[in-house]
Amino acid sequence: MTAPRTADLRRETSESSIELSLDLDGTGVADIESTVPFYDHLLTAFAKHSLTDLRVRAKGDIEIDVHHTVEDIGIVLGQAIRQALGDKSGISRFGDALVPLDEALVQAVVDISGRPFLVHSGEPAGFEYHLIGGHFTGSMVRHVFEAITFNAGLTVHVTVLGGRDPHHIAEAEFKAFARAFRQAKALDPLVSGIPSTKGAL
Ligand SMILES: [Mn+2]
């Protein structure tokens, strides 16, 4: 094993201040206080099902809207993932998962490619306008995946295959992403060096 795959970041803007630390080789321990209750739920699910230890403390202008705080945590989470992955030697690189939550079913595929790309589809009509828990706009689910993938340098495909309840759909999306990411970031003893024919990711 090489260096610990951890990151500890702070980000301050006029809209939010974020502290975030993670350990990619953790056990899924989450300590999340984002001030946005449903987002705490999603980030806790991400930590648990990706076996990433994740601590988040945030303060933001949620009196305007939760948008800035939610997006900014996604940005810092992506930056932390990129930093913790280091040169990506020894990783599986690819991961995929199919995760249900009752009637909802979501497929996620992750490539730790170094090339940011998100393909996201399948949320039912009106999902983006629904206020989950009365405060978390459905459109923020895709926006968080954009923030993570663009800042972490991941290729991510998330496809909602079915679902009716917005809470179920959003949670299944995060769990599927977490499970796929768990596989992709895992250290594979059969991989030596960086798993790319280019020699860099
Ligand atoms: Mn935004």
Side-chain angles (χ1 to χ4, degrees):
M1 256 296 282
T2 49
R5 298 196 299 167
T6 60
D8 189 0
L9 298 182
R10 270 155 212 271
R11 181 178 189 271
E12 299 267 349
T13 72
S14 60
E15 295 172 342
S16 71
S17 51
I18 314 289
E19 292 176 26
L20 185 148
S21 49
L22 60 73
D23 181 352
L24 294 179
D25 299 302
T27 57
V29 177
D31 176 11
I32 316 285
E33 293 180 15
S34 74
T35 73
V36 181
F38 187 68
Y39 200 33
D40 286 359
H41 186 52
L42 294 177
L43 292 171
T44 299
F46 168 75
K48 184 80 177 173
H49 296 290
S50 67
L51 301 181
T52 299
D53 291 347
L54 179 63
R55 179 181 185 276
V56 175
R57 292 291 182 275
K59 278 181 77 149
D61 56 0
I62 59 168
E63 72 284 358
I64 296 174
D65 184 29
V66 303
H67 190 118
H68 300 141
T69 301
V70 169
E71 178 175 4
D72 292 351
I73 291 170
I75 289 169
V76 182
L77 177 56
Q79 292 170 339
I81 288 171
R82 180 192 282 270
Q83 183 178 314
L85 283 167
D87 73 357
K88 308 184 180 88
S89 53
I91 61 168
S92 294
R93 181 177 164 181
F94 300 99
D96 62 273
L98 195 56
V99 171
L101 202 174
D102 295 351
E103 89 295 346
L105 181 64
V106 178
Q107 180 183 56
V109 183
V110 170
D111 176 10
I112 300 176
S113 61
R115 294 189 308 278
F117 209 101
L118 175 69
V119 179
H120 180 260
S121 64
E123 289 174 345
F127 177 91
E128 66 268 48
Y129 307 121
H130 185 79
L131 284 177
I132 303 170
H135 66 278
F136 189 93
T137 318
S139 64
M140 292 310 294
V141 172
R142 179 182 296 176
H143 211 22
V144 171
F145 286 133
E146 288 168 344
I148 294 172
T149 56
F150 279 65
N151 287 280
L154 307 176
T155 300
V156 175
H157 290 242
V158 175
T159 309
V160 178
L161 298 170
R164 190 185 65 85
D165 181 87
H167 182 133
H168 289 169
I169 293 166
E171 188 172 333
E173 290 192 66
F174 270 73
K175 286 176 171 170
F177 171 64
R179 282 291 290 209
F181 179 65
R182 169 183 162 177
Q183 280 179 12
K185 73 169 164 75
L187 295 167
D188 182 337
L190 297 177
V191 172
S192 64
I194 296 163
S196 166
T197 53
K198 291 198 298 287
L201 287 172

